[in-house]
Amino acid sequence: MLTKTESEQRIARLQDGLRGQGIDGALFIYPIDIYYFSGTRQNSALFVPAEGKPRLMVRKSYFRAQAESVIDDTRPFPSSKEFASQFPPKAKRIGFTFDVAPVQQYQYYAKLLPGVEFVDVSPLNRELRSVKSELELERMRESGARLCGVFKEVPGFLKEGMRELDLAAEFEYRLRKAGGEGFVRMRAYNQELFQGLAVSAGAGNPGFFDGAVTGRGLSNASPHGASIDAIEANVPVLVDYTGVFDGYIVDMTRMFVVGRLAPELQRAFDTSLRIQQHLTENLKPGAVCEDLFAQAADIAESAGLARNFMGAPGENAKFVGHGVGLELDEFPVLAQGFKSQLRAGQTIAIEPKFVLPGLGVIGIENTFAVAPDGGVKITDLPDDIAFV
């Protein structure tokens, strides 16, 4: 639960950023942004002035928002005629999250606030949210512990001949029983994910999802994740799941094999571990994101696996790590062209994976916190392949 003190600290940092950019305030309409600052995910709009107290205007449920919100000025959403009066007259440049706000909503609020210039505060918002407080880190550690608890159970129910879908269902059942909320929020347009994926022979199928592994899925309308294909002996099984608890997401992958693993796959897995180890040691404040990606790619190339790194040849994803928190695709991103420097308290899922057509998919993924001495592992479970 968000405390009033933590909310005030988040809002103060936002206000510093607004003033630094000459913006008079910010209007948030995206639910998870509102939750981050207010502690409630109810249908509402949050206005944060560059100076002064924020105001939360609630459509539904106002009664629940009253109980949950730590914003002192929490009130019912005003009528269209009264909306402009909720803003200070001097607020002429107002921030808006262009990255997630539909054009229809932009036009709606522009009509309610004539004469106001809306400016994009998406980068500012995402940078602020990327650095986790100790309260957030504690919640992510708890999410990691619960997710690891489910992963530990996999060798007990993974069997040769079971469908990928059955493996996924068993995992998801236990994850839900552990309190997993299931809502894997993503900011990117046209991306979606149902908790995670458990895939084997069809793991290397290319697809829309912006990641190294997609899976076959269940239909053309749902072309991601587990399929009805049977799990075969001596074929690697990749289990990649998110754990979402109290809104906070951690992301991890572990490998399982019924039988033996081909030497080429074992070599690729060992390369994944080397990449992860290198990145973990360098996950320090000041490290440049694109440099870390380039270093990971160099390790893959030196192992003769460059064309298989982070996807099937020709379908390679151009990243090796992504920020996680209240969303699966937060800042920072260890990716080509991402020139920002790491900051202490950022949380990143590092996922070096390889797709070897005809053999299978293999790799590792863990969530880490950026710290002065290198990454601190949040999904604290041994990385070894589990042979069943």
Side-chain angles (χ1 to χ4, degrees):
M1 183 179 295
L2 179 64
T3 66
K4 186 175 179 59
T5 298
E6 175 111 355
S7 171
E8 289 173 346
Q9 291 171 347
R10 295 175 184 181
I11 288 169
R13 289 194 293 270
L14 172 64
Q15 289 175 320
D16 285 343
L18 293 173
R19 290 192 296 269
Q21 296 183 22
I23 302 173
D24 301 320
L27 178 63
F28 293 98
I29 62 170
Y30 197 59
I32 207 62
D33 293 332
I34 293 169
Y35 173 78
Y36 176 77
F37 290 109
S38 73
T40 185
R41 183 258 173 264
Q42 299 303 303
N43 187 359
S44 52
L46 174 67
F47 176 65
V48 180
E51 300 278 358
K53 299 295 185 181
R55 175 172 296 170
L56 183 65
M57 298 166 281
V58 186
R59 295 182 185 275
K60 185 177 185 294
S61 157
Y62 172 61
F63 297 103
R64 184 160 179 176
Q66 268 190 314
E68 296 174 347
S69 173
V70 295
I71 303 295
D72 289 334
D73 189 353
T74 296
R75 61 178 66 185
F77 200 92
S79 68
S80 297
K81 292 181 180 179
E82 297 172 334
F83 190 79
S85 67
Q86 310 298 309
F87 295 75
K90 66 179 182 179
K92 298 302 181 184
R93 296 186 78 231
I94 293 180
F96 209 61
T97 49
F98 287 10
D99 61 339
V100 289
V103 172
Q104 182 187 49
Q105 289 293 298
Y106 173 86
Q107 292 174 339
Y108 170 76
Y109 284 100
K111 185 177 179 180
L112 292 183
L113 297 170
V116 166
E117 176 193 1
F118 285 105
V119 295
D120 190 16
V121 291
S122 304
L124 170 61
N125 177 49
R126 297 189 73 183
E127 285 290 347
L128 288 173
R129 282 184 44 196
S130 75
V131 178
K132 308 303 187 290
S133 67
E134 182 53 40
L135 175 66
E136 291 180 289
L137 290 173
E138 178 55 37
R139 289 180 179 174
M140 293 186 70
R141 286 191 286 267
E142 175 62 23
S143 295
R146 292 197 197 184
L147 182 59
C148 286
V150 179
F151 267 95
K152 288 177 183 177
E153 298 179 23
V154 174
F157 58 81
L158 172 60
K159 307 293 182 185
E160 180 185 355
M162 73 187 307
R163 301 179 303 174
E164 292 178 353
L165 181 60
D166 297 323
L167 174 59
E170 290 286 349
F171 192 98
E172 290 159 15
Y173 167 75
R174 287 163 172 78
L175 187 58
R176 188 67 166 157
K177 290 276 283 185
E181 294 166 358
F183 291 104
V184 186
R185 295 182 170 97
M186 300 181 69
R187 211 165 185 91
Y189 181 67
N190 269 350
Q191 295 294 306
E192 56 190 9
L193 173 70
F194 185 73
Q195 298 191 64
L197 62 160
V199 290
S200 185
N205 277 41
F208 75 93
F209 191 73
D210 189 16
V213 180
T214 297
R216 196 187 310 278
L218 295 173
S219 72
N220 289 352
S222 181
H224 180 269
S227 71
I228 59 171
D229 293 344
I231 292 171
E232 302 174 3
N234 308 320
V235 178
V237 179
L238 180 142
V239 181
D240 178 354
Y241 268 87
T242 58
V244 189
F245 301 88
D246 201 19
Y248 282 89
I249 301 169
V250 294
D251 196 3
M252 65 184 290
T253 297
R254 290 296 182 273
M255 298 302 309
F256 304 86
V257 182
V258 180
R260 299 180 179 179
L261 190 65
E264 299 94 330
L265 288 165
Q266 182 65 58
R267 185 168 65 86
F269 182 73
D270 293 341
T271 304
S272 293
L273 294 182
R274 285 199 299 276
I275 291 172
Q276 179 183 248
Q277 181 64 30
H278 175 82
L279 295 178
T280 302
E281 291 172 354
N282 290 278
L283 216 61
K284 302 176 182 180
V288 178
C289 293
E290 69 172 2
D291 291 348
L292 294 178
F293 172 77
Q295 292 160 20
D298 286 345
I299 295 173
E301 184 172 13
S302 67
L305 291 165
R307 61 192 300 269
N308 309 98
F309 183 48
M310 294 304 293
E315 296 267 356
N316 312 77
K318 300 300 182 183
F319 75 94
V320 71
H322 57 93
V324 289
L326 290 172
E327 293 168 312
L328 185 65
D329 54 349
E330 294 195 356
F331 284 172
V333 188
L334 306 187
Q336 217 170 37
F338 205 91
K339 300 180 182 299
S340 66
Q341 296 181 350
L342 297 183
R343 299 166 64 187
Q346 290 177 323
T347 44
I348 305 173
I350 293 177
E351 53 170 318
K353 294 170 182 170
F354 294 92
V355 178
L356 280 66
L359 290 174
V361 168
I362 202 156
I364 193 69
E365 181 174 19
N366 283 292
T367 300
F368 297 89
V370 178
D373 295 328
V376 177
K377 195 176 185 182
I378 292 175
T379 46
D380 195 11
L381 187 72
D383 296 333
D384 305 325
I385 298 172
F387 290 90
V388 179

